[in-house]
Amino acid sequence: MDSELEKRLRAAFRDKLRLLPAELHAARGRPVAAQDPATLLPSSTRVLLKRREVAEVERELQNQRQEFQQQMQRLAQRRQQLARRQEQHRDAVLRFESFLKAAEARRERALRRADEQRAAERAGAARLQRELEQLLQRRERLARRLRSLRPFGDYLRDVLASTGQFQDVPAMLEYLEVLVGVRAALAREAEAGQEMLAQGKAQLEQYRQESSTQLLGTRDELAQLHTRLEAARQDVLQWESCWTHIQSTAMQKDLLLGQIKLAVLNLFQQTTAQLRIPTDRAQEDTKAQLDMVLLCMQGLADICATGTHPQNHRTTRLLQGQE
């Protein structure tokens, strides 16, 4: 935009400069009498005048440039306004289109509701027509029943006239209804009593069965306990006999052990007395006495086997208690 403005200003300035020589030649070609007083001025004055004209032309060009810039600014503002208006117009069009769509949707919904309402009304009318037909049929049935019950009404009126106990037929019917209600209540109570009696009998039979079952179980358990008691008694007798046998065996073992101890003691005393070995063993230490007897027997066996062997002296010292 600035380059275009510059081009236009330059073209206008060139056109203005081209017009100046033409004006000068035209001024020179005129008669002397008709010449302008400015043509008679010196060249320096004319140059100054030309410079003044050029300055005026430049000022005019500057003014035109400023006016052009202002016009361009106004055009830019107009363009912005137009753009805003176009945007507003576009928004308005979009809003109007959305409004049209909403209106169309509302119209369609209204049409659907109207169709549904008409269908519901038709269904309601058909239902009411059916109910009316049913009511008419019921009315006809009630009328036939009324005609069939009319003799009973005449009979009730005759009974009321003959008895003279009630004021009118409804009072008598109310009394009869009370009697019927009392009879029904008594029947219900009797039926409830029968049901309770049946339930009691069933419970009693169930209790009897359970008691018999429990009694049989108790008897079986008692028989099992008797069997276990007899088995326990047999076990007690068997264990008592075993204990008696164990006690007798223990006594025999004790006697045998006493005899062995006594034999070992006699053998020990005889061996030590025969070999003249000092007896420093306790009389209750049967094991030590038996070891000493075995040692003496081994020494005697060595003496008998070796004769004059040098080990004979060691065995003799061992028997005499020197080693």
Side-chain angles (χ1 to χ4, degrees):
M1 185 180 297
D2 295 336
S3 61
E4 185 179 359
L5 177 62
E6 188 70 23
K7 289 179 181 179
R8 290 182 181 179
L9 291 175
R10 288 180 180 179
F13 185 71
R14 283 196 299 271
D15 294 337
K16 188 68 175 176
L17 291 177
R18 281 198 299 270
L19 290 175
L20 289 176
E23 291 176 358
L24 291 174
H25 289 298
R28 289 175 184 178
R30 286 183 299 179
V32 176
Q35 284 184 352
D36 198 16
T39 57
L40 300 176
L41 295 175
S43 60
S44 60
T45 304
R46 288 196 299 271
V47 170
L48 292 174
L49 292 175
K50 293 299 180 181
R51 288 180 177 176
R52 184 180 298 173
E53 291 177 359
V54 169
E56 291 176 358
V57 169
E58 289 180 354
R59 282 197 300 273
E60 185 177 359
L61 290 174
Q62 185 68 23
N63 293 330
Q64 290 180 0
R65 187 182 292 111
Q66 292 177 358
E67 291 178 0
F68 185 76
Q69 289 178 354
Q70 291 176 0
Q71 289 178 1
M72 293 302 293
Q73 290 177 358
R74 287 195 294 271
L75 287 174
Q77 292 177 359
R78 290 291 300 278
R79 287 178 181 175
Q80 292 177 357
Q81 292 176 0
L82 288 174
R84 286 195 297 272
R85 289 180 181 178
Q86 288 179 356
E87 187 68 24
Q88 293 175 358
H89 180 68
R90 190 181 298 108
D91 294 338
V93 169
L94 292 175
R95 287 196 298 272
F96 184 69
E97 289 179 353
S98 62
F99 173 75
L100 289 177
K101 290 180 181 179
E104 184 66 20
R106 286 196 296 272
R107 187 176 68 82
E108 292 179 356
R109 288 196 297 271
L111 291 175
R112 286 198 299 271
R113 285 198 296 270
D115 295 337
E116 292 174 357
Q117 187 175 3
R118 284 195 293 271
E121 289 177 356
R122 287 195 294 270
R127 181 175 55 79
L128 292 175
Q129 185 66 27
R130 290 193 298 272
E131 290 180 357
L132 179 60
E133 292 176 357
Q134 293 175 0
L135 290 174
L136 290 175
Q137 293 175 1
R138 185 178 179 185
R139 180 182 177 184
E140 185 64 25
R141 289 195 300 271
L142 291 175
R144 289 196 300 269
R145 186 177 179 185
L146 181 60
R147 288 193 297 269
S148 64
L149 294 176
R150 186 169 295 168
F152 296 99
D154 297 337
Y155 175 74
L156 290 174
R157 283 190 291 271
D158 293 339
V159 171
L160 179 65
S162 62
T163 56
Q165 184 179 358
F166 302 101
Q167 295 179 358
D168 52 3
V169 175
M172 185 174 62
L173 292 176
E174 184 177 358
Y175 178 73
L176 292 175
E177 288 179 357
V178 171
L179 292 178
V180 171
V182 172
R183 181 179 178 182
L186 292 175
R188 287 194 297 271
E189 290 180 359
E191 185 177 0
Q194 291 293 332
E195 291 180 356
M196 292 177 63
L197 181 61
Q199 291 178 0
K201 288 181 179 180
Q203 290 179 359
L204 180 60
E205 185 65 25
Q206 184 178 1
Y207 291 154
R208 286 178 179 176
Q209 292 179 359
E210 291 178 355
S211 299
S212 61
T213 304
Q214 291 179 0
L215 183 60
L216 290 175
T218 305
R219 288 176 179 175
D220 294 337
E221 187 177 359
L222 183 61
Q224 293 177 1
L225 291 174
H226 280 297
T227 304
R228 291 175 64 183
L229 179 60
E230 292 297 332
R233 287 176 179 175
Q234 294 294 331
D235 293 338
V236 168
L237 293 174
Q238 184 178 358
W239 285 109
E240 285 180 353
S241 62
C242 290
W243 178 247
T244 304
H245 178 67
I246 290 169
Q247 287 180 348
S248 62
T249 305
M251 291 175 65
Q252 293 176 3
K253 297 290 185 181
D254 289 337
L255 291 174
L256 180 60
L257 181 61
Q259 292 175 2
I260 291 171
K261 288 183 176 181
L262 183 59
V264 170
L265 180 60
N266 292 330
L267 183 60
F268 174 73
Q269 289 177 356
Q270 291 177 6
T271 303
T272 54
Q274 186 70 30
L275 297 177
R276 297 185 182 88
I277 297 173
T279 57
D280 55 353
R281 303 293 190 275
Q283 293 184 1
E284 292 81 6
D285 194 359
T286 306
K287 185 176 181 300
Q289 295 173 1
L290 185 59
D291 291 338
M292 179 61 69
V293 171
L294 291 175
L295 186 59
C296 292
M297 291 176 67
Q298 184 178 1
L300 292 174
D302 290 339
I303 292 171
C304 293
T306 58
T308 58
H309 196 272
Q311 191 179 358
N312 188 16
H313 301 287
R314 182 175 179 276
T315 304
T316 303
R317 288 194 301 270
L318 180 61
L319 292 174
Q320 292 177 357
Q322 297 177 0
E323 291 185 0

